[in-house]
Amino acid sequence: MKRLLLLLLSCVTTVWSVAAQPVVSQLRCEHLTDPVGMGERRPMLSWIVSDASRRGVMQQAYEVRVETNGRTVWKSGKVESSESAGIFYDGEPLVSNMRYVWKVRVWDDRGKVSAWSRPASWHTGLFEKAEWQARWIEPQQSDDRAAMFRRTFRLSKPVAEATLYITAHGIYEADINGRRVSEDLLTPGWTAYKKRLQYQAYDVTPFVAKGDNAIGVTVAKGWYLSKLTWSREFNYGDEYGLLAQIMVRYKDGTREVIATDDDWRTATGAISYGNLYDGETIDLNLRCEGWSTASFDDASWKTVRLTDTPLDNLVPSVSPAVRVIETFKPVKIFTTPSGDRVIDFGQNISGRERVRLHGKRGDTVRIYHSEILEKGEFFTRNLRTAKAVSTYILSGEGEEWVAPHFAFYGFRYIKVEGIDGELNPDDFRAEAISSATPACGTFETSDSLINRLQSNIKWGMLDNFVDIPTDCPQRDERLGWTGDAQVFFRTATFNRDVQTFFTKWMADVAAEQYDNGAVNGVYPVTHRTRISAGWGDAATIIPWQHYMAYGDRRMLERQYSSMKKWVDYITSKTENDLWRKESSYGDWVFFSYSDDLDGRSAVTIRPFIQQCFYAHSLDLVVRTAQLLGAAEDETKYKALYKRAVDAFRNEYVTPNGMLVSDTQTAYTLALMFDLLPEEQRAGAAKRLVENVNRYGHITTGFLGTPYICEVLTRFGYADVAYKLLLNKKIPSWLYPISMGATTIWERWNSMLPNGMVNSNSMVSFNHYAYGAIGDWLYRWAAGLQEAAPGFRKIRVKPYLNDHFTSMKAEERTPYGLASSAWTLDGDAVTLTVEIPANTTAEVYVPSASAECVTESGRALAACDDLTSEGWNDGYTLVRLGSGRYEFKSTLK
């Protein structure tokens, strides 16, 4: 019996020993999971370390091993380093079109070593232009009908691996042997095509086999061939084009390439397509069944035309592709007062309908799309010239599920024409699409309206992050406005992992920045816009905030030249260090009164705004220069920054600290960017509060809104920030929710209280800019902030409000899950925090004194796994390592 007990004890000890080891998971290459077509020759690797058995876990060392085809190409050996989110491959030179498998193990701060992680992989793209054997092919003639390209090919041996590299002039869908190769939509995406045309890479090994095979690709207009912007005079080209090659490695080690050449055939089929704004027509009578299979007879198809289009602009994709992210069923089917049959899906989305149709041959069904109802009627006036309609011509061959392939719309409601009898809800679905950025953050409170606001922020983002950060998904615009993206970026990083999404888009900003350094208002560039403060500053603000959110300095390295060019451009336009002469957008869609005879509209003069952002961008360039070790630049731009700030103070600030624009936006920007002398800041904050109280609501536009609540909180007026947040009257964040909004509106008054839509033609019910309040909710109200780039150090400092009984924010940082959750019951506070391994945190516990704070029932003095720094200004500061902590305290 004693031997049995000893044996059992030994087994338990062994299990505990294993459980107590650190664990390595979530391996990423270039921030992606098992990427295919990775274009970096020295990719960055990262992983997450965890150990649930104890607090304060830190990585002490790591070891990485990389193999390809069973051969080791890099053994890092044991590297003494705590870094787990920025390790660069340092083995043999990478080879194009090759799969690499890697794993990692770590040692913790107690010297315990983890087991090897589960293997992860990356597959390289094509590093050299010469590796493309494909040539561009086009149809002999083209019109609005989507072009179809196909080719059969025979594989003579068993296949070990096959990879498809593909792009198009237009947007494409690819099939091999009758199967879609991917769920990706709208590929190759929208970029600065003349300088950067993305190609995708897909592992198609499961799709091919020894013997006869076929590939078929449909190419529609997309961004490349559509007439874009309001004039519809802009497009990149006139012909559909396809470039593709399948690179096959046989099991015996030999290789073969099947590429676009003059052996391909082309035709048109069921899909015709006006442009991205108008929609898609599908004639089911013109379908070519089985056209991407080897047995299909393509004798009637035409030969393709080869072109000598250069390949110099090809770049590998780095951002998640667009996909269907959620499907909605109808919540209501009704007839409007005017007789339209309408379906409500309950959520405003960017996407498409999917419909099950049955009828006679030649019957035509039309589906119209709308975001909103006006007085119960289907409303499309805000689409302007966009038709936004799907048309289906039936074949009469029984029930068929159909959906657009290459069109997307912004809608909550659809109007149905051409179906006899009652509409069956089981025959209709709405598919929301977005770039498939991983979810990384959540936010929840005890107030259902604020939770609805968070949902609206999330959906406004998802609906507009369709390959680029668009301003709206519905009307004849859908462009990558820099100002919208800049003001919302920090909020975006809390909701989704957008680091590669913005790596892609910012590369286009740099690629198409004007030679003189000016930054256009939209990217990719479709037309010349105003050169505007707050819009052009996306060139500096987004790279810096990207670095702070993710800790990867390569965004700054890549964009540094662009950042400098932008501030150099502004400097060239200054007089006496003031940036005044520019036709900027100002504080876009700020609050204003109609027939304003008393000057109550919140007008912030544009030169004031320009100077604020000029100084702020100079400050960010100085910080970047310092980080990158560019000493001469640091000196140069530091001097310019001082001159810009001095000029601001001399021109726009009275001796008593009043600003020449006595508006919420003016005080917010001056305080947010630290432009006022220290002794004037408290007075300016007081003037801001007086302004808020005078109006009784928010008056800021796009440029002031992201910062106003943060500024109020920083200067001791968190109660006023909460007052703005909780206001339910127009203008406010909650007013649209009272009107049924499920996304963020473009204007505070996009719909009036009487149910009528604002008469302005520029009225979107799906803009994300005002959703920038999310940044304050996560980082200030819930109190979850980065104290060092990439959350390597974390600050938790919530700002309580007795309107709420609870609030919680979670964020999946580069090091793991971090969270801050507080509950309030009278004067009793519970603050629960979770800090990921390999990070440290400073936690500010709301309290009346340090003596009233306990952690998991223990007095702070008895806690040897944290350090108490005492009490100050309503908070007890505690420094700690990783783990889950529960603090209880009282406020009185």
Side-chain angles (χ1 to χ4, degrees), residues 146-204:
M148 302 165 66
F149 300 91
R150 67 169 257 119
R151 182 192 163 172
T152 59
F153 57 96
R154 185 171 183 79
L155 300 180
S156 58
K157 309 169 189 177
V159 175
E161 188 176 51
T163 307
L164 170 64
Y165 295 90
I166 182 170
T167 188
H169 291 157
I171 50 180
Y172 71 84
E173 287 183 358
D175 297 66
I176 293 179
N177 294 326
R179 297 166 55 196
R180 280 283 304 276
V181 302
S182 169
E183 296 177 356
D184 295 352
L185 304 173
L186 308 179
T187 45
W190 192 9
T191 50
Y193 290 131
K194 294 180 180 179
K195 297 183 178 181
R196 300 180 65 254
L197 174 61
Q198 293 184 130
Y199 67 84
Q200 284 73 43
Y202 298 106
D203 180 0
V204 294

Side-chain angles (χ1 to χ4, degrees), residues 26-39:
Q26 301 182 49
L27 276 63
R28 302 283 189 270
C29 175
E30 288 297 316
H31 310 299
L32 302 171
T33 302
D34 299 334
V36 179
M38 193 278 302

Side-chain angles (χ1 to χ4, degrees), residues 230-348:
W230 308 287
S231 67
R232 306 251 179 129
E233 294 176 353
F234 181 92
N235 65 299
Y236 294 93
D238 300 315
E239 297 291 342
Y240 298 109
L242 175 66
L243 184 77
Q245 64 186 41
I246 303 174
M247 302 185 75
V248 179
R249 178 172 59 87
Y250 292 114
K251 290 185 177 180
D252 65 3
T254 60
R255 298 175 182 269
E256 185 174 0
V257 177
I258 297 92
T260 45
D261 56 19
D262 53 11
D263 286 334
W264 287 61
R265 311 280 286 178
T266 184
T268 55
I271 300 172
S272 60
Y273 187 77
N275 56 56
L276 280 172
Y277 303 135
D278 291 343
E280 186 172 312
T281 297
I282 301 178
D283 187 340
L284 298 171
N285 300 283
L286 301 178
R287 288 179 301 183
C288 299
E289 297 290 350
W291 71 280
S292 62
T293 63
S295 60
F296 180 78
D297 182 5
D298 61 8
S300 63
W301 287 39
K302 298 178 180 179
T303 58
V304 297
R305 180 174 62 242
L306 288 176
T307 77
D308 293 321
T309 304
L311 308 183
D312 296 336
N313 60 339
L314 294 184
V315 295
S317 294
V318 298
S319 176
V322 176
R323 291 194 170 188
V324 173
I325 58 168
E326 192 166 338
T327 299
F328 294 89
K329 297 180 180 180
V331 298
K332 184 180 180 182
I333 298 179
F334 60 98
T335 301
T336 68
S338 63
D340 292 332
R341 294 196 296 173
V342 175
I343 298 176
D344 177 7
F345 290 101
Q347 175 62 54
N348 198 9

Side-chain angles (χ1 to χ4, degrees), residues 328 346-348 412 443-445 447-460 733-734 736-738 740-744:
F328 294 89
Q347 175 62 54
N348 198 9
R412 171 177 171 173
F443 177 80
E444 187 175 10
T445 77
D447 187 323
S448 61
L449 288 180
I450 300 300
N451 294 341
R452 180 72 251 184
L453 172 61
Q454 164 64 10
S455 176
N456 290 6
I457 292 170
K458 180 193 76 172
W459 276 106
W733 286 285
L734 298 187
I737 294 172
S738 72
T742 62
T743 45
I744 299 296

